[in-house]
Each structure stands twice: as structure tokens, then as C-alpha cells.
Amino acid sequence: MTFLCISCYFKGVPFLRACKAAGNTVYLLTVKKLEHDPWPREAIDEFFFLESDSNAPSDLANIAKGVAWMMQSRPIDRVVALDDFDVEKAAYLREEFRLPGMGQTTSRYFRDKLAMRIRARDHGVPVPAFSSLFNDVALTEFANRIEYPCLIKPRGEASATGITKVHSAQELWDTVHQLGERRKEYLVEQFRPGDVYHVDAISVDGEVAFCQVSRYLSTPFEVAHGGGIFRSVSVPYHDEEAVILRRLTEDVMHAFGMQFSASHTEFIKTREGNFVFLETASRVGGAHLAEMVEAATGVGLWTEWAKLETAMATGQPYTVPERRYDQAGIVVSLCRYEFPDTTSFTDPEIVWRMDKKHHIGLIVASESPHRIRQLLDEYATRIAQDFHAAAPAPKKSTH
């Protein structure tokens, strides 16, 4: 089979290698500025480049023209988006060339935060109070009845990018007016303080076949807007929170029409103790969460996703490998040093060290949830004192 993989950010190396190891022909469509990044070139049969990662209609049409030219001499059987911002590109190409997989309507549920909210609400999944910004009367009613603060969010960005917190109806309207014609690209929702959890899953034949629940100790919003240190920790499999979130994730995947893919879904546990759905994505979670999941379970999400896609393309059965039930945690921070020396971190629980300029990161694994929390707390303190650097929140996602 021939796979066209799309990634306008450097990620998905294990997917590309596993896809090639399964006997497929692998093409990679990425942006020109990433041409010299350390892609696994032995696993990629041919590169194709874009000047921009834009999903504007005119740019999608141009991508389709390029793929049409490719397909004159290179048959393509499957299109896979490795990054959140490429889901729209992949869906557009599947529709244009009648290829199997998630089309544009379904892909909206995994990219458009307004579509997510409406679909989840209509299928009984709890969500924060929200409103589109389309109609003045409807927005006025929302603004006058809601408890503040609220969050104004771009519908198509990822993580915490572009979010504005407002504390009154007047501030809400001031922000909406500043958006001008772009207001249709945003929604507003009630801010629900609480703990944020993420669920990393693999769906097969419309059912969740693998599901790992974890909790952010520092949320992406806090890190992006407060310059903090990112941390996440796995939740023991039989904890009540994990049981509830596995069920809610199944509800979301069923409601959104997920058939086969990796997914990354986030929920908030409110101060009242209830879970509400935050967002989801039809890809492996970012911020090296896949490595944390593998440290706890032994399941490599990128690799298994590639095997799943190959099985679906060839009509073969796919089974998720047997998992472990250990605990793991991750800590990541921007670093004031270009190449930080982490040799002072010597605990035997360390299973992964980040290798990226001006970043420091560690993953620890153990059978003991207490030991994981102890190490993450200690490392966060040491990193804050000796390594940490902060940067302004990005206006556009850097993935």
C-alpha cells in the first residue's frame, strides 16, 4: 500500500518508520522549512513540500492540484495526518480523490471546537456552557446569564493558543468587537476551574481498544500563559477517575464517529467533582505524552497507529498489544541553556531525556504513583531554580 503522510511540524518519526517496516510505500508531505529536519529518511520513499501550512480554501485547492499531479505516476491508497493542523488537509484530499478514511464532516468534530461542543452536547456528553459568536441576540443572552470568567477560543487552533480570558459581559463584547470579521472563527465558553485530564486512546472498528488516562499537573493553558513548567502523570488504571474517563472517552468517540485512529481527548474535573469534555483530536498527543504513555503501558502509540492504518488498508485484523499497568510522569520546560546538562538527574526511574535545544525534559516510570509524584515535584523545583526559562504565549500554535 502507498501512504501519503502529512505533517507540517516535525513529529511522527515512529509512525513513519513503522509504516515503512510494514511494507508500505511512504510519501511525506511537509513544509519546505522542515526539509532538513532529522526525518527518518530511510523510511520515506519521497518528500513533497509546501511553502505554507495554511488550511485556507485556496491553499487546500492548490494542495489538491499537487496531489493530482503526483497521482498521475504514483498511486495513493491512504492519507494520514500526523499533526492536528493537517487533519483538514487530509480530510480534504480524501474527499477530493475519494480515498477511504475520515472525511470533512467527521474531521470537523476533531478540529473545530464549536463542532465538538455541539456534537458532544447533543449526544449527552457534559460540556461547559458555551456559545458561538454568530448572532448578537444569542450572544447577549449568553453574556447576561453566564457566570464569569469566560474563555474566548479560536475554533481551529490547538492546545491553549489564542485563548482570551474575560471577566465581564463588557469585556466579552470588547473582545468580540476587536475580532471584527474574524468573530465567526471563535466561540466563548464558561471557564470551569479544576483539574485537567487527558486520555490517549486507540480505536479499532469503531470501539476504543486501548485507553490510558493521565492528569496534567500543570495545564497547557497555565504553561502557555504563565510561563510554567509542564507536567503530567498517569492515573492508576482502577482509580474511579480513570474508570469514569474511559467511559466518557468511549462516549465521545462513538458520538464523533471515530472508526480507527489514535486520539487525544481532554476533560476537566470541576470543583464540584464532575467531569466535562474539553476537546479531542484524531492523532497522537503532543508534548511527548506518547513517550510517557509508553513508559507506563509499553504501548507505543505512534507505532501502533501505523500498524492499525496498515491493517485497515489491507483488510487484515489488528489487535493492540498486551499492556502494562505501571505509572509514569513527565516534566518539560523551556531552558536558559541551549544544551542543558541533565547528568545531575540520576534516579533509576528515569526512562527518557529530552533532546531539543533550549528545552529540558524527563520521563520517569515506576510501579508506585507516590514515587512518580515525588520525583516530578522534586524535578520541577530543581528545574525552576537551575534551568527554567519563559517565553510569551504564542499567537499561533507552535504545536
PDB file of all heavy atoms in Angstrom, residues 209-240:
ATOM      1  N   ALA A 209     -10.031   0.488  21.816  1.00  0.00           N
ATOM      2  CA  ALA A 209      -9.335  -0.765  22.104  1.00  0.00           C
ATOM      3  C   ALA A 209      -8.199  -0.580  23.100  1.00  0.00           C
ATOM      4  O   ALA A 209      -7.742  -1.553  23.714  1.00  0.00           O
ATOM      5  CB  ALA A 209      -8.787  -1.360  20.803  1.00  0.00           C
ATOM      6  N   PHE A 210      -7.716   0.633  23.230  1.00  0.00           N
ATOM      7  CA  PHE A 210      -6.668   0.957  24.201  1.00  0.00           C
ATOM      8  C   PHE A 210      -6.966   2.340  24.753  1.00  0.00           C
ATOM      9  O   PHE A 210      -7.375   3.237  24.003  1.00  0.00           O
ATOM     10  CB  PHE A 210      -5.284   0.950  23.554  1.00  0.00           C
ATOM     11  CG  PHE A 210      -4.201   1.517  24.439  1.00  0.00           C
ATOM     12  CD1 PHE A 210      -3.559   0.720  25.367  1.00  0.00           C
ATOM     13  CD2 PHE A 210      -3.840   2.859  24.343  1.00  0.00           C
ATOM     14  CE1 PHE A 210      -2.571   1.250  26.200  1.00  0.00           C
ATOM     15  CE2 PHE A 210      -2.854   3.392  25.166  1.00  0.00           C
ATOM     16  CZ  PHE A 210      -2.220   2.591  26.098  1.00  0.00           C
ATOM     17  N   CYS A 211      -6.775   2.518  26.078  1.00  0.00           N
ATOM     18  CA  CYS A 211      -7.158   3.793  26.683  1.00  0.00           C
ATOM     19  C   CYS A 211      -6.309   4.027  27.927  1.00  0.00           C
ATOM     20  O   CYS A 211      -6.359   3.235  28.874  1.00  0.00           O
ATOM     21  CB  CYS A 211      -8.637   3.753  27.044  1.00  0.00           C
ATOM     22  SG  CYS A 211      -9.366   5.353  27.365  1.00  0.00           S
ATOM     23  N   GLN A 212      -5.524   5.088  27.918  1.00  0.00           N
ATOM     24  CA  GLN A 212      -4.686   5.435  29.068  1.00  0.00           C
ATOM     25  C   GLN A 212      -5.066   6.821  29.570  1.00  0.00           C
ATOM     26  O   GLN A 212      -5.051   7.797  28.812  1.00  0.00           O
ATOM     27  CB  GLN A 212      -3.206   5.401  28.680  1.00  0.00           C
ATOM     28  CG  GLN A 212      -2.252   5.886  29.744  1.00  0.00           C
ATOM     29  CD  GLN A 212      -2.126   4.936  30.939  1.00  0.00           C
ATOM     30  OE1 GLN A 212      -2.787   3.896  30.974  1.00  0.00           O
ATOM     31  NE2 GLN A 212      -1.306   5.295  31.908  1.00  0.00           N
ATOM     32  N   VAL A 213      -5.388   6.911  30.845  1.00  0.00           N
ATOM     33  CA  VAL A 213      -5.818   8.168  31.459  1.00  0.00           C
ATOM     34  C   VAL A 213      -4.669   8.789  32.236  1.00  0.00           C
ATOM     35  O   VAL A 213      -3.973   8.094  32.992  1.00  0.00           O
ATOM     36  CB  VAL A 213      -7.017   7.926  32.398  1.00  0.00           C
ATOM     37  CG1 VAL A 213      -7.434   9.226  33.090  1.00  0.00           C
ATOM     38  CG2 VAL A 213      -8.186   7.325  31.631  1.00  0.00           C
ATOM     39  N   SER A 214      -4.477  10.087  32.064  1.00  0.00           N
ATOM     40  CA  SER A 214      -3.421  10.822  32.769  1.00  0.00           C
ATOM     41  C   SER A 214      -3.976  12.169  33.197  1.00  0.00           C
ATOM     42  O   SER A 214      -5.017  12.622  32.712  1.00  0.00           O
ATOM     43  CB  SER A 214      -2.194  11.026  31.860  1.00  0.00           C
ATOM     44  OG  SER A 214      -1.780   9.811  31.269  1.00  0.00           O
ATOM     45  N   ARG A 215      -3.244  12.833  34.102  1.00  0.00           N
ATOM     46  CA  ARG A 215      -3.683  14.132  34.599  1.00  0.00           C
ATOM     47  C   ARG A 215      -2.550  15.138  34.487  1.00  0.00           C
ATOM     48  O   ARG A 215      -1.410  14.858  34.865  1.00  0.00           O
ATOM     49  CB  ARG A 215      -4.130  14.029  36.066  1.00  0.00           C
ATOM     50  CG  ARG A 215      -4.570  15.362  36.667  1.00  0.00           C
ATOM     51  CD  ARG A 215      -5.349  15.147  37.961  1.00  0.00           C
ATOM     52  NE  ARG A 215      -4.541  14.606  39.029  1.00  0.00           N
ATOM     53  CZ  ARG A 215      -3.870  15.342  39.927  1.00  0.00           C
ATOM     54  NH1 ARG A 215      -3.911  16.662  39.862  1.00  0.00           N
ATOM     55  NH2 ARG A 215      -3.171  14.755  40.877  1.00  0.00           N
ATOM     56  N   TYR A 216      -2.886  16.300  33.930  1.00  0.00           N
ATOM     57  CA  TYR A 216      -1.910  17.379  33.904  1.00  0.00           C
ATOM     58  C   TYR A 216      -1.712  17.921  35.317  1.00  0.00           C
ATOM     59  O   TYR A 216      -2.681  18.232  36.010  1.00  0.00           O
ATOM     60  CB  TYR A 216      -2.394  18.538  33.022  1.00  0.00           C
ATOM     61  CG  TYR A 216      -2.502  18.227  31.553  1.00  0.00           C
ATOM     62  CD1 TYR A 216      -3.730  18.310  30.902  1.00  0.00           C
ATOM     63  CD2 TYR A 216      -1.381  17.880  30.807  1.00  0.00           C
ATOM     64  CE1 TYR A 216      -3.839  18.051  29.544  1.00  0.00           C
ATOM     65  CE2 TYR A 216      -1.488  17.615  29.443  1.00  0.00           C
ATOM     66  CZ  TYR A 216      -2.712  17.703  28.821  1.00  0.00           C
ATOM     67  OH  TYR A 216      -2.816  17.441  27.477  1.00  0.00           O
ATOM     68  N   LEU A 217      -0.469  18.068  35.722  1.00  0.00           N
ATOM     69  CA  LEU A 217      -0.174  18.763  36.972  1.00  0.00           C
ATOM     70  C   LEU A 217       0.009  20.250  36.716  1.00  0.00           C
ATOM     71  O   LEU A 217      -0.186  21.070  37.608  1.00  0.00           O
ATOM     72  CB  LEU A 217       1.076  18.172  37.626  1.00  0.00           C
ATOM     73  CG  LEU A 217       0.984  16.671  37.961  1.00  0.00           C
ATOM     74  CD1 LEU A 217       2.271  16.198  38.610  1.00  0.00           C
ATOM     75  CD2 LEU A 217      -0.203  16.390  38.871  1.00  0.00           C
ATOM     76  N   SER A 218       0.407  20.582  35.500  1.00  0.00           N
ATOM     77  CA  SER A 218       0.426  21.968  35.021  1.00  0.00           C
ATOM     78  C   SER A 218      -0.225  21.940  33.653  1.00  0.00           C
ATOM     79  O   SER A 218       0.266  21.267  32.740  1.00  0.00           O
ATOM     80  CB  SER A 218       1.853  22.503  34.906  1.00  0.00           C
ATOM     81  OG  SER A 218       2.536  22.387  36.132  1.00  0.00           O
ATOM     82  N   THR A 219      -1.344  22.621  33.475  1.00  0.00           N
ATOM     83  CA  THR A 219      -2.091  22.516  32.225  1.00  0.00           C
ATOM     84  C   THR A 219      -1.397  23.260  31.095  1.00  0.00           C
ATOM     85  O   THR A 219      -0.608  24.181  31.339  1.00  0.00           O
ATOM     86  CB  THR A 219      -3.506  23.084  32.381  1.00  0.00           C
ATOM     87  OG1 THR A 219      -3.413  24.514  32.549  1.00  0.00           O
ATOM     88  CG2 THR A 219      -4.212  22.479  33.572  1.00  0.00           C
ATOM     89  N   PRO A 220      -1.682  22.894  29.845  1.00  0.00           N
ATOM     90  CA  PRO A 220      -1.130  23.650  28.720  1.00  0.00           C
ATOM     91  C   PRO A 220      -1.473  25.134  28.783  1.00  0.00           C
ATOM     92  O   PRO A 220      -0.666  25.989  28.417  1.00  0.00           O
ATOM     93  CB  PRO A 220      -1.779  22.965  27.505  1.00  0.00           C
ATOM     94  CG  PRO A 220      -2.049  21.581  27.962  1.00  0.00           C
ATOM     95  CD  PRO A 220      -2.424  21.705  29.415  1.00  0.00           C
ATOM     96  N   PHE A 221      -2.687  25.472  29.255  1.00  0.00           N
ATOM     97  CA  PHE A 221      -3.074  26.886  29.359  1.00  0.00           C
ATOM     98  C   PHE A 221      -2.183  27.603  30.365  1.00  0.00           C
ATOM     99  O   PHE A 221      -1.696  28.702  30.110  1.00  0.00           O
ATOM    100  CB  PHE A 221      -4.536  26.999  29.787  1.00  0.00           C
ATOM    101  CG  PHE A 221      -5.046  28.419  29.855  1.00  0.00           C
ATOM    102  CD1 PHE A 221      -5.545  29.043  28.724  1.00  0.00           C
ATOM    103  CD2 PHE A 221      -5.003  29.131  31.039  1.00  0.00           C
ATOM    104  CE1 PHE A 221      -6.000  30.354  28.781  1.00  0.00           C
ATOM    105  CE2 PHE A 221      -5.458  30.436  31.113  1.00  0.00           C
ATOM    106  CZ  PHE A 221      -5.955  31.058  29.971  1.00  0.00           C
ATOM    107  N   GLU A 222      -1.943  26.982  31.510  1.00  0.00           N
ATOM    108  CA  GLU A 222      -1.103  27.601  32.526  1.00  0.00           C
ATOM    109  C   GLU A 222       0.323  27.781  32.032  1.00  0.00           C
ATOM    110  O   GLU A 222       0.954  28.816  32.272  1.00  0.00           O
ATOM    111  CB  GLU A 222      -1.106  26.734  33.790  1.00  0.00           C
ATOM    112  CG  GLU A 222      -2.441  26.703  34.518  1.00  0.00           C
ATOM    113  CD  GLU A 222      -2.490  25.624  35.580  1.00  0.00           C
ATOM    114  OE1 GLU A 222      -1.665  24.690  35.530  1.00  0.00           O
ATOM    115  OE2 GLU A 222      -3.369  25.711  36.440  1.00  0.00           O
ATOM    116  N   VAL A 223       0.838  26.784  31.335  1.00  0.00           N
ATOM    117  CA  VAL A 223       2.207  26.866  30.847  1.00  0.00           C
ATOM    118  C   VAL A 223       2.332  27.926  29.758  1.00  0.00           C
ATOM    119  O   VAL A 223       3.254  28.741  29.746  1.00  0.00           O
ATOM    120  CB  VAL A 223       2.679  25.489  30.327  1.00  0.00           C
ATOM    121  CG1 VAL A 223       4.039  25.599  29.663  1.00  0.00           C
ATOM    122  CG2 VAL A 223       2.719  24.483  31.472  1.00  0.00           C
ATOM    123  N   ALA A 224       1.362  27.944  28.812  1.00  0.00           N
ATOM    124  CA  ALA A 224       1.423  28.887  27.696  1.00  0.00           C
ATOM    125  C   ALA A 224       1.274  30.329  28.169  1.00  0.00           C
ATOM    126  O   ALA A 224       1.927  31.237  27.654  1.00  0.00           O
ATOM    127  CB  ALA A 224       0.349  28.552  26.666  1.00  0.00           C
ATOM    128  N   HIS A 225       0.410  30.555  29.153  1.00  0.00           N
ATOM    129  CA  HIS A 225       0.091  31.922  29.565  1.00  0.00           C
ATOM    130  C   HIS A 225       0.801  32.349  30.842  1.00  0.00           C
ATOM    131  O   HIS A 225       0.845  33.544  31.148  1.00  0.00           O
ATOM    132  CB  HIS A 225      -1.420  32.079  29.725  1.00  0.00           C
ATOM    133  CG  HIS A 225      -2.157  31.983  28.432  1.00  0.00           C
ATOM    134  ND1 HIS A 225      -2.558  33.084  27.715  1.00  0.00           N
ATOM    135  CD2 HIS A 225      -2.544  30.903  27.701  1.00  0.00           C
ATOM    136  CE1 HIS A 225      -3.161  32.689  26.607  1.00  0.00           C
ATOM    137  NE2 HIS A 225      -3.179  31.367  26.582  1.00  0.00           N
ATOM    138  N   GLY A 226       1.363  31.397  31.572  1.00  0.00           N
ATOM    139  CA  GLY A 226       2.040  31.754  32.806  1.00  0.00           C
ATOM    140  C   GLY A 226       3.513  31.421  32.822  1.00  0.00           C
ATOM    141  O   GLY A 226       4.199  31.679  33.804  1.00  0.00           O
ATOM    142  N   GLY A 227       4.010  30.832  31.729  1.00  0.00           N
ATOM    143  CA  GLY A 227       5.431  30.519  31.659  1.00  0.00           C
ATOM    144  C   GLY A 227       5.854  29.430  32.623  1.00  0.00           C
ATOM    145  O   GLY A 227       6.969  29.424  33.127  1.00  0.00           O
ATOM    146  N   GLY A 228       4.972  28.488  32.912  1.00  0.00           N
ATOM    147  CA  GLY A 228       5.253  27.466  33.901  1.00  0.00           C
ATOM    148  C   GLY A 228       6.026  26.287  33.343  1.00  0.00           C
ATOM    149  O   GLY A 228       6.548  26.308  32.226  1.00  0.00           O
ATOM    150  N   ILE A 229       6.104  25.255  34.160  1.00  0.00           N
ATOM    151  CA  ILE A 229       6.785  24.018  33.810  1.00  0.00           C
ATOM    152  C   ILE A 229       5.722  22.952  33.570  1.00  0.00           C
ATOM    153  O   ILE A 229       4.884  22.687  34.433  1.00  0.00           O
ATOM    154  CB  ILE A 229       7.747  23.599  34.935  1.00  0.00           C
ATOM    155  CG1 ILE A 229       8.867  24.641  35.078  1.00  0.00           C
ATOM    156  CG2 ILE A 229       8.335  22.215  34.661  1.00  0.00           C
ATOM    157  CD1 ILE A 229       9.756  24.422  36.285  1.00  0.00           C
ATOM    158  N   PHE A 230       5.752  22.329  32.410  1.00  0.00           N
ATOM    159  CA  PHE A 230       4.734  21.354  32.018  1.00  0.00           C
ATOM    160  C   PHE A 230       4.967  20.031  32.733  1.00  0.00           C
ATOM    161  O   PHE A 230       6.089  19.502  32.742  1.00  0.00           O
ATOM    162  CB  PHE A 230       4.778  21.150  30.500  1.00  0.00           C
ATOM    163  CG  PHE A 230       3.840  20.086  30.002  1.00  0.00           C
ATOM    164  CD1 PHE A 230       2.484  20.328  29.915  1.00  0.00           C
ATOM    165  CD2 PHE A 230       4.319  18.833  29.634  1.00  0.00           C
ATOM    166  CE1 PHE A 230       1.614  19.350  29.461  1.00  0.00           C
ATOM    167  CE2 PHE A 230       3.456  17.849  29.180  1.00  0.00           C
ATOM    168  CZ  PHE A 230       2.103  18.117  29.096  1.00  0.00           C
ATOM    169  N   ARG A 231       3.894  19.488  33.308  1.00  0.00           N
ATOM    170  CA  ARG A 231       3.977  18.182  33.959  1.00  0.00           C
ATOM    171  C   ARG A 231       2.674  17.419  33.749  1.00  0.00           C
ATOM    172  O   ARG A 231       1.595  18.014  33.710  1.00  0.00           O
ATOM    173  CB  ARG A 231       4.221  18.314  35.470  1.00  0.00           C
ATOM    174  CG  ARG A 231       5.572  18.887  35.837  1.00  0.00           C
ATOM    175  CD  ARG A 231       5.802  18.829  37.345  1.00  0.00           C
ATOM    176  NE  ARG A 231       4.824  19.614  38.069  1.00  0.00           N
ATOM    177  CZ  ARG A 231       4.529  19.433  39.359  1.00  0.00           C
ATOM    178  NH1 ARG A 231       5.093  18.457  40.045  1.00  0.00           N
ATOM    179  NH2 ARG A 231       3.631  20.207  39.955  1.00  0.00           N
ATOM    180  N   SER A 232       2.802  16.120  33.624  1.00  0.00           N
ATOM    181  CA  SER A 232       1.632  15.244  33.553  1.00  0.00           C
ATOM    182  C   SER A 232       1.994  13.920  34.210  1.00  0.00           C
ATOM    183  O   SER A 232       3.171  13.529  34.240  1.00  0.00           O
ATOM    184  CB  SER A 232       1.201  15.015  32.106  1.00  0.00           C
ATOM    185  OG  SER A 232       0.041  14.195  32.056  1.00  0.00           O
ATOM    186  N   VAL A 233       0.967  13.232  34.726  1.00  0.00           N
ATOM    187  CA  VAL A 233       1.200  11.980  35.434  1.00  0.00           C
ATOM    188  C   VAL A 233       0.063  11.013  35.113  1.00  0.00           C
ATOM    189  O   VAL A 233      -1.092  11.404  34.946  1.00  0.00           O
ATOM    190  CB  VAL A 233       1.298  12.229  36.952  1.00  0.00           C
ATOM    191  CG1 VAL A 233      -0.018  12.770  37.508  1.00  0.00           C
ATOM    192  CG2 VAL A 233       1.735  10.990  37.706  1.00  0.00           C
ATOM    193  N   SER A 234       0.386   9.736  35.014  1.00  0.00           N
ATOM    194  CA  SER A 234      -0.638   8.735  34.730  1.00  0.00           C
ATOM    195  C   SER A 234      -1.532   8.525  35.945  1.00  0.00           C
ATOM    196  O   SER A 234      -1.128   8.719  37.088  1.00  0.00           O
ATOM    197  CB  SER A 234       0.013   7.405  34.317  1.00  0.00           C
ATOM    198  OG  SER A 234       0.913   6.958  35.311  1.00  0.00           O
ATOM    199  N   VAL A 235      -2.776   8.146  35.680  1.00  0.00           N
ATOM    200  CA  VAL A 235      -3.749   7.846  36.725  1.00  0.00           C
ATOM    201  C   VAL A 235      -3.852   6.321  36.835  1.00  0.00           C
ATOM    202  O   VAL A 235      -4.041   5.644  35.815  1.00  0.00           O
ATOM    203  CB  VAL A 235      -5.130   8.450  36.386  1.00  0.00           C
ATOM    204  CG1 VAL A 235      -6.155   8.061  37.455  1.00  0.00           C
ATOM    205  CG2 VAL A 235      -5.024   9.959  36.258  1.00  0.00           C
ATOM    206  N   PRO A 236      -3.701   5.758  38.020  1.00  0.00           N
ATOM    207  CA  PRO A 236      -3.804   4.290  38.151  1.00  0.00           C
ATOM    208  C   PRO A 236      -5.074   3.752  37.501  1.00  0.00           C
ATOM    209  O   PRO A 236      -6.152   4.334  37.611  1.00  0.00           O
ATOM    210  CB  PRO A 236      -3.808   4.080  39.676  1.00  0.00           C
ATOM    211  CG  PRO A 236      -2.999   5.226  40.201  1.00  0.00           C
ATOM    212  CD  PRO A 236      -3.356   6.392  39.308  1.00  0.00           C
ATOM    213  N   TYR A 237      -4.948   2.630  36.815  1.00  0.00           N
ATOM    214  CA  TYR A 237      -5.984   2.114  35.925  1.00  0.00           C
ATOM    215  C   TYR A 237      -7.316   1.908  36.627  1.00  0.00           C
ATOM    216  O   TYR A 237      -8.381   2.168  36.046  1.00  0.00           O
ATOM    217  CB  TYR A 237      -5.503   0.791  35.313  1.00  0.00           C
ATOM    218  CG  TYR A 237      -6.421   0.248  34.246  1.00  0.00           C
ATOM    219  CD1 TYR A 237      -6.352   0.716  32.936  1.00  0.00           C
ATOM    220  CD2 TYR A 237      -7.358  -0.742  34.549  1.00  0.00           C
ATOM    221  CE1 TYR A 237      -7.194   0.215  31.940  1.00  0.00           C
ATOM    222  CE2 TYR A 237      -8.197  -1.248  33.566  1.00  0.00           C
ATOM    223  CZ  TYR A 237      -8.109  -0.766  32.268  1.00  0.00           C
ATOM    224  OH  TYR A 237      -8.942  -1.256  31.304  1.00  0.00           O
ATOM    225  N   HIS A 238      -7.283   1.456  37.867  1.00  0.00           N
ATOM    226  CA  HIS A 238      -8.532   1.117  38.547  1.00  0.00           C
ATOM    227  C   HIS A 238      -9.066   2.259  39.412  1.00  0.00           C
ATOM    228  O   HIS A 238     -10.107   2.086  40.068  1.00  0.00           O
ATOM    229  CB  HIS A 238      -8.343  -0.147  39.395  1.00  0.00           C
ATOM    230  CG  HIS A 238      -8.075  -1.374  38.570  1.00  0.00           C
ATOM    231  ND1 HIS A 238      -9.019  -1.925  37.736  1.00  0.00           N
ATOM    232  CD2 HIS A 238      -6.953  -2.129  38.439  1.00  0.00           C
ATOM    233  CE1 HIS A 238      -8.507  -2.992  37.129  1.00  0.00           C
ATOM    234  NE2 HIS A 238      -7.262  -3.132  37.535  1.00  0.00           N
ATOM    235  N   ASP A 239      -8.404   3.404  39.426  1.00  0.00           N
ATOM    236  CA  ASP A 239      -8.951   4.554  40.135  1.00  0.00           C
ATOM    237  C   ASP A 239     -10.299   4.957  39.545  1.00  0.00           C
ATOM    238  O   ASP A 239     -10.524   4.815  38.329  1.00  0.00           O
ATOM    239  CB  ASP A 239      -7.994   5.747  40.054  1.00  0.00           C
ATOM    240  CG  ASP A 239      -6.881   5.667  41.088  1.00  0.00           C
ATOM    241  OD1 ASP A 239      -6.700   4.590  41.681  1.00  0.00           O
ATOM    242  OD2 ASP A 239      -6.176   6.681  41.285  1.00  0.00           O
ATOM    243  N   GLU A 240     -11.186   5.453  40.384  1.00  0.00           N
ATOM    244  CA  GLU A 240     -12.518   5.825  39.918  1.00  0.00           C
ATOM    245  C   GLU A 240     -12.462   6.828  38.776  1.00  0.00           C
ATOM    246  O   GLU A 240     -13.240   6.742  37.815  1.00  0.00           O
ATOM    247  CB  GLU A 240     -13.336   6.410  41.076  1.00  0.00           C
ATOM    248  CG  GLU A 240     -14.765   6.778  40.689  1.00  0.00           C
ATOM    249  CD  GLU A 240     -15.540   7.392  41.832  1.00  0.00           C
ATOM    250  OE1 GLU A 240     -14.915   7.725  42.863  1.00  0.00           O
ATOM    251  OE2 GLU A 240     -16.761   7.567  41.690  1.00  0.00           O
TER     252      GLU A 240
END
